[in-house]
Protein backbone atom coordinates (compact mmCIF):
# COMPACT_ATOMS: atom_id res chain seq x y z
CA UNK A 1 0.00 0.00 0.00
CA UNK A 2 1.24 3.49 -0.85
CA UNK A 3 1.87 5.72 2.17
CA UNK A 4 -0.54 8.53 2.94
CA UNK A 5 2.03 11.31 2.74
CA UNK A 6 1.89 15.04 2.16
CA UNK A 7 3.40 18.33 3.24
CA UNK A 8 2.79 21.57 5.06
CA UNK A 9 1.62 23.88 2.26
CA UNK A 10 0.68 27.53 1.85
CA UNK A 11 -2.87 28.91 1.80
CA UNK A 12 -1.80 32.18 0.14
CA UNK A 13 -4.65 33.58 -1.94
CA UNK A 14 -7.26 31.48 -0.16
CA UNK A 15 -7.34 28.33 1.93
CA UNK A 16 -8.71 26.36 -1.04
CA UNK A 17 -5.40 26.97 -2.84
CA UNK A 18 -3.82 24.51 -0.40
CA UNK A 19 -5.40 21.68 -2.39
CA UNK A 20 -3.61 22.53 -5.64
CA UNK A 21 -0.42 23.23 -3.69
CA UNK A 22 -0.64 19.77 -2.15
CA UNK A 23 -1.34 18.02 -5.43
CA UNK A 24 1.53 19.88 -7.08
CA UNK A 25 4.04 18.21 -4.73
CA UNK A 26 2.33 14.83 -4.98
CA UNK A 27 0.77 14.81 -1.53
CA UNK A 28 -2.39 13.02 -0.44
CA UNK A 29 -2.75 14.60 3.02
CA UNK A 30 -1.23 17.70 4.60
CA UNK A 31 -1.00 20.57 7.03
CA UNK A 32 -1.67 24.31 6.95
CA UNK A 33 -1.40 27.45 9.02
CA UNK A 34 -4.63 29.47 8.91
CA UNK A 35 -2.54 32.66 9.16
CA UNK A 36 1.04 33.71 9.78
CA UNK A 37 2.31 31.63 12.71
CA UNK A 38 4.43 34.52 13.97
CA UNK A 39 1.56 36.82 14.97
CA UNK A 40 -1.62 36.80 17.02
CA UNK A 41 -4.29 36.72 14.35
CA UNK A 42 -7.66 35.05 13.96
CA UNK A 43 -8.25 32.84 10.92
CA UNK A 44 -9.95 34.89 8.20
CA UNK A 45 -11.60 32.26 6.05
CA UNK A 46 -14.63 33.18 3.97
CA UNK A 47 -17.68 30.97 3.55
CA UNK A 48 -17.08 30.43 -0.17
CA UNK A 49 -13.41 29.48 0.15
CA UNK A 50 -14.25 27.16 3.05
CA UNK A 51 -16.80 25.38 0.85
CA UNK A 52 -14.26 25.13 -1.99
CA UNK A 53 -11.73 23.68 0.44
CA UNK A 54 -14.17 21.11 1.80
CA UNK A 55 -15.43 19.92 -1.56
CA UNK A 56 -11.99 20.03 -3.17
CA UNK A 57 -10.49 17.94 -0.40
CA UNK A 58 -13.31 15.40 -0.56
CA UNK A 59 -13.02 15.11 -4.35
CA UNK A 60 -9.26 15.26 -4.85
CA UNK A 61 -7.31 14.19 -1.75
CA UNK A 62 -7.29 11.27 0.66
CA UNK A 63 -6.77 13.53 3.69
CA UNK A 64 -6.59 14.22 6.49
CA UNK A 65 -5.56 17.83 6.85
CA UNK A 66 -4.04 19.19 10.06
CA UNK A 67 -4.11 22.81 11.25
CA UNK A 68 -0.90 23.82 13.02
CA UNK A 69 -1.45 26.52 15.62
CA UNK A 70 0.51 29.74 15.92
CA UNK A 71 4.06 29.49 17.25
CA UNK A 72 3.09 32.10 19.86
CA UNK A 73 0.68 29.76 21.64
CA UNK A 74 2.11 28.64 24.98
CA UNK A 75 -0.06 26.21 26.92
CA UNK A 76 2.44 25.88 29.77
CA UNK A 77 2.91 29.55 30.54
CA UNK A 78 2.39 30.84 34.10
CA UNK A 79 1.57 34.31 32.70
CA UNK A 80 -2.16 35.08 32.78
CA UNK A 81 -2.17 37.38 29.73
CA UNK A 82 -0.24 34.93 27.52
CA UNK A 83 -2.40 32.07 28.75
CA UNK A 84 -5.57 33.93 27.73
CA UNK A 85 -4.16 34.85 24.30
CA UNK A 86 -3.14 31.22 23.80
CA UNK A 87 -6.59 29.98 24.81
CA UNK A 88 -8.36 32.42 22.49
CA UNK A 89 -6.04 31.55 19.59
CA UNK A 90 -6.56 27.82 20.12
CA UNK A 91 -10.34 28.27 20.24
CA UNK A 92 -10.36 30.12 16.93
CA UNK A 93 -8.24 27.41 15.31
CA UNK A 94 -10.64 24.74 16.53
CA UNK A 95 -13.56 26.66 15.04
CA UNK A 96 -11.69 27.05 11.76
CA UNK A 97 -11.03 23.31 11.70
CA UNK A 98 -14.73 22.62 12.13
CA UNK A 99 -15.61 25.04 9.31
CA UNK A 100 -13.11 23.34 7.00
CA UNK A 101 -13.91 19.74 8.02
CA UNK A 102 -10.32 19.37 9.23
CA UNK A 103 -10.12 16.66 11.90
CA UNK A 104 -6.91 17.70 13.69
CA UNK A 105 -5.51 20.84 15.34
CA UNK A 106 -1.85 20.40 16.26
CA UNK A 107 -0.19 22.36 19.06
CA UNK A 108 3.10 22.43 20.97
CA UNK A 109 2.91 22.43 24.76
CA UNK A 110 5.21 25.44 24.95
CA UNK A 111 7.60 26.48 27.73
CA UNK A 112 7.15 26.71 31.48
CA UNK A 113 9.59 29.69 31.60
CA UNK A 114 10.70 28.98 35.15
CA UNK A 115 7.45 27.72 36.66
CA UNK A 116 8.81 24.16 36.64
CA UNK A 117 7.90 21.03 34.73
CA UNK A 118 5.05 19.92 36.98
CA UNK A 119 3.40 23.34 37.06
CA UNK A 120 3.90 23.80 33.32
CA UNK A 121 2.19 20.51 32.51
CA UNK A 122 -0.64 21.36 34.90
CA UNK A 123 -1.07 24.72 33.18
CA UNK A 124 -1.28 23.02 29.79
CA UNK A 125 -3.86 20.44 30.88
CA UNK A 126 -6.08 23.01 32.58
CA UNK A 127 -5.95 25.40 29.61
CA UNK A 128 -6.90 22.62 27.20
CA UNK A 129 -9.85 21.78 29.45
CA UNK A 130 -11.16 25.33 29.02
CA UNK A 131 -11.55 24.86 25.26
CA UNK A 132 -14.84 24.12 23.54
CA UNK A 133 -13.81 21.49 21.00
CA UNK A 134 -16.28 21.08 18.12
CA UNK A 135 -17.55 17.65 17.17
CA UNK A 136 -15.29 15.98 14.64
CA UNK A 137 -12.17 17.91 15.71
CA UNK A 138 -9.33 16.42 17.76
CA UNK A 139 -6.48 18.27 19.49
CA UNK A 140 -3.04 16.75 18.89
CA UNK A 141 -0.15 17.52 21.23
CA UNK A 142 3.08 17.57 19.24
CA UNK A 143 6.31 16.11 20.57
CA UNK A 144 9.04 18.71 21.03
CA UNK A 145 12.82 18.87 20.72
CA UNK A 146 12.95 19.89 24.39
CA UNK A 147 15.32 22.87 24.38
CA UNK A 148 15.39 25.27 27.32
CA UNK A 149 12.20 25.15 29.37
CA UNK A 150 10.08 23.77 26.51
CA UNK A 151 8.01 20.76 27.45
CA UNK A 152 6.92 17.83 25.32
CA UNK A 153 10.36 16.44 24.60
CA UNK A 154 9.87 13.53 26.96
CA UNK A 155 7.13 10.99 26.34
CA UNK A 156 6.25 11.33 30.03
CA UNK A 157 5.33 14.99 29.43
CA UNK A 158 2.85 13.98 26.74
CA UNK A 159 1.41 11.21 28.89
CA UNK A 160 0.98 13.50 31.89
CA UNK A 161 -1.04 16.05 29.92
CA UNK A 162 -3.19 13.38 28.30
CA UNK A 163 -3.87 11.80 31.70
CA UNK A 164 -4.41 15.09 33.57
CA UNK A 165 -6.79 16.72 31.10
CA UNK A 166 -10.47 15.87 31.06
CA UNK A 167 -10.45 16.84 27.38
CA UNK A 168 -9.76 13.87 25.07
CA UNK A 169 -6.34 14.43 23.53
CA UNK A 170 -4.06 12.63 21.10
CA UNK A 171 -0.49 13.02 19.84
CA UNK A 172 1.44 14.02 16.74
CA UNK A 173 4.94 12.57 16.84
CA UNK A 174 7.58 14.68 15.07
CA UNK A 175 10.50 12.43 14.13
CA UNK A 176 13.12 15.20 14.10
CA UNK A 177 11.92 16.55 17.45
CA UNK A 178 11.78 13.11 19.02
CA UNK A 179 15.30 12.37 17.79
CA UNK A 180 16.64 15.73 19.02
CA UNK A 181 15.02 15.12 22.40
CA UNK A 182 17.14 12.01 22.87
CA UNK A 183 15.18 9.09 21.41
CA UNK A 184 17.29 7.25 18.85
CA UNK A 185 15.65 6.61 15.46
CA UNK A 186 18.76 6.05 13.36
CA UNK A 187 18.48 2.26 12.93
CA UNK A 188 15.61 -0.16 12.50
CA UNK A 189 16.27 -1.57 15.96
CA UNK A 190 16.34 1.92 17.50
CA UNK A 191 13.03 2.81 15.85
CA UNK A 192 11.45 -0.36 17.20
CA UNK A 193 12.74 0.39 20.70
CA UNK A 194 11.57 4.02 20.64
CA UNK A 195 8.10 3.14 19.33
CA UNK A 196 7.80 0.42 21.98
CA UNK A 197 8.70 2.99 24.64
CA UNK A 198 6.14 5.44 23.26
CA UNK A 199 3.51 2.70 23.42
CA UNK A 200 4.45 1.86 27.00
CA UNK A 201 4.44 5.48 28.21
CA UNK A 202 1.79 7.20 26.06
CA UNK A 203 0.01 4.48 24.12
CA UNK A 204 -0.05 3.94 20.37
CA UNK A 205 -3.81 4.35 20.44
CA UNK A 206 -3.14 8.08 21.01
CA UNK A 207 -0.81 8.44 18.00
CA UNK A 208 -2.77 9.98 15.12
CA UNK A 209 -0.20 11.68 12.89
CA UNK A 210 3.54 11.70 12.14
CA UNK A 211 5.50 14.83 11.26
CA UNK A 212 8.09 13.09 9.13
CA UNK A 213 11.37 15.02 9.17
CA UNK A 214 15.02 14.04 9.22
CA UNK A 215 17.36 15.96 11.54
CA UNK A 216 20.41 18.11 10.84
CA UNK A 217 21.68 17.36 14.35
CA UNK A 218 22.37 14.20 16.32
CA UNK A 219 19.95 12.75 18.83
CA UNK A 220 19.97 14.28 22.29
CA UNK A 221 21.18 17.70 21.09
CA UNK A 222 17.75 19.38 21.55
CA UNK A 223 18.39 21.21 18.27
CA UNK A 224 15.33 21.54 16.06
CA UNK A 225 16.50 21.79 12.45
CA UNK A 226 14.92 19.60 9.81
CA UNK A 227 16.72 17.80 6.98
CA UNK A 228 15.66 16.03 3.79
CA UNK A 229 14.30 12.52 4.28
CA UNK A 230 17.20 10.07 4.67
CA UNK A 231 19.80 12.85 4.39
CA UNK A 232 20.18 13.76 8.06
CA UNK A 233 21.29 12.04 11.26
CA UNK A 234 18.23 9.78 11.32
CA UNK A 235 19.30 8.62 7.86
CA UNK A 236 17.98 6.09 5.41
CA UNK A 237 17.84 3.08 7.73
CA UNK A 238 15.83 4.93 10.37
CA UNK A 239 13.49 6.62 7.91
CA UNK A 240 12.80 3.37 6.06
CA UNK A 241 11.83 1.67 9.29
CA UNK A 242 9.62 4.56 10.39
CA UNK A 243 7.56 4.55 7.18
CA UNK A 244 7.32 0.75 7.12
CA UNK A 245 6.85 0.08 10.85
CA UNK A 246 3.64 -1.91 11.29
CA UNK A 247 2.35 0.44 13.99
CA UNK A 248 3.10 3.58 11.95
CA UNK A 249 2.70 2.72 8.28
CA UNK A 250 -1.04 3.48 8.09
CA UNK A 251 -0.80 6.87 9.80
CA UNK A 252 -0.71 10.13 7.81
CA UNK A 253 2.87 11.34 7.27
CA UNK A 254 3.18 15.14 7.02
CA UNK A 255 6.50 16.57 5.85
CA UNK A 256 8.04 19.81 7.13
CA UNK A 257 11.30 19.29 5.28
CA UNK A 258 13.39 22.20 3.96
CA UNK A 259 13.54 23.67 0.48
CA UNK A 260 17.26 23.68 -0.30
CA UNK A 261 19.87 22.04 -2.53
CA UNK A 262 17.39 22.10 -5.41
CA UNK A 263 15.03 19.80 -3.51
CA UNK A 264 11.70 20.54 -1.89
CA UNK A 265 8.56 18.68 -0.84
CA UNK A 266 8.09 16.77 -4.09
CA UNK A 267 11.55 15.18 -3.82
CA UNK A 268 10.94 14.19 -0.20
CA UNK A 269 7.49 12.75 -0.89
CA UNK A 270 8.97 10.66 -3.71
CA UNK A 271 11.66 9.49 -1.30
CA UNK A 272 9.08 8.30 1.22
CA UNK A 273 7.28 6.34 -1.47
CA UNK A 274 10.58 4.89 -2.64
CA UNK A 275 11.38 3.73 0.90
CA UNK A 276 8.00 2.02 1.12
CA UNK A 277 8.63 0.11 -2.11
CA UNK A 278 12.03 -1.23 -1.01
Amino acid sequence: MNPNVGAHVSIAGGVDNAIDNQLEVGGTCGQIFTHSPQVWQDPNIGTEEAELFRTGTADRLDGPWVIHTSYLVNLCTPKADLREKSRESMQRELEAAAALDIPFVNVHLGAHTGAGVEAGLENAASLLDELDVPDGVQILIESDAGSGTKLGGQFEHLATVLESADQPLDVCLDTAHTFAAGYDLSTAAAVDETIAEFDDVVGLDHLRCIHLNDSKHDHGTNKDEHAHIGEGYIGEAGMKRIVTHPDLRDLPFVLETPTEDGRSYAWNIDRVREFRRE
Side-chain angles (χ1 to χ4, degrees):
M1 180 190 295
N2 286 328
N4 189 13
V5 58
H8 185 119
V9 295
S10 171
I11 67 164
V15 68
D16 51 304
N17 288 335
I19 297 165
D20 283 334
N21 293 338
Q22 193 64 249
L23 292 169
E24 185 176 343
V25 298
T28 54
C29 62
Q31 181 174 265
I32 59 171
F33 292 123
T34 62
H35 57 83
S36 169
Q38 308 288 356
V39 298
W40 294 113
Q41 179 181 331
D42 287 345
N44 183 22
I45 299 170
T47 302
E48 182 178 353
E49 62 179 295
E51 173 63 19
L52 289 170
F53 179 89
R54 292 193 301 268
T55 57
T57 295
D59 292 344
R60 305 171 68 193
L61 292 172
D62 294 335
W65 286 101
V66 180
I67 289 177
H68 195 301
T69 60
S70 168
Y71 292 142
L72 300 181
V73 169
N74 186 347
L75 306 182
C76 296
T77 182
K79 300 176 182 178
D81 57 341
L82 179 54
R83 177 185 174 89
E84 181 58 19
K85 286 182 178 180
S86 298
R87 188 197 63 77
E88 290 177 354
S89 181
M90 277 286 297
Q91 188 63 54
R92 299 293 85 79
E93 299 287 21
L94 291 167
E95 292 164 3
L100 295 169
D101 283 348
I102 291 178
F104 300 125
V105 173
N106 180 75
V107 64
H108 295 267
L109 288 177
H112 67 71
T113 61
V117 172
E118 183 177 350
L121 296 175
E122 288 176 358
N123 290 342
S126 62
L127 188 155
L128 290 165
D129 279 344
E130 294 175 12
L131 297 170
D132 181 11
V133 181
D135 290 342
V137 179
Q138 183 70 23
I139 297 172
L140 303 183
I141 306 300
E142 181 178 344
S143 61
D144 200 273
S147 60
T149 65
K150 289 183 179 179
L151 300 179
Q154 297 178 28
F155 293 160
E156 287 79 7
H157 295 170
L158 305 174
T160 295
V161 174
L162 267 61
E163 291 165 3
S164 300
D166 295 325
Q167 193 82 262
L169 304 168
D170 285 318
V171 172
C172 172
L173 196 67
D174 185 301
T175 55
H177 296 173
T178 301
F179 188 70
Y183 297 93
D184 193 5
L185 295 168
S186 62
T187 67
V191 170
D192 290 352
E193 183 177 342
T194 293
I195 297 306
E197 182 173 354
F198 179 90
D199 190 26
D200 183 58
V201 176
V202 182
L204 282 165
D205 56 318
H206 286 294
L207 184 57
R208 304 295 296 277
C209 180
I210 301 285
H211 278 178
L212 191 67
N213 303 298
D214 211 323
S215 175
K216 290 188 176 181
H217 305 280
D218 207 349
H219 75 285
T221 59
N222 302 119
K223 294 182 178 180
D224 177 13
E225 194 173 4
H226 299 175
H228 293 304
I229 300 300
E231 300 286 304
Y233 278 84
I234 295 177
E236 289 192 10
M239 280 293 166
K240 286 179 182 177
R241 183 55 178 166
I242 291 167
V243 301
T244 59
H245 191 286
D247 291 322
L248 309 181
R249 59 180 289 116
D250 294 332
L251 293 170
F253 294 101
V254 177
L255 303 179
E256 300 169 322
T257 47
T259 297
E260 59 187 18
D261 306 324
R263 294 174 289 184
S264 58
Y265 284 141
W267 184 91
N268 284 280
I269 288 173
D270 285 345
R271 198 88 194 276
V272 174
R273 293 194 171 117
E274 176 188 332
F275 285 171
R276 277 287 277 266
R277 289 192 295 267
E278 292 180 359

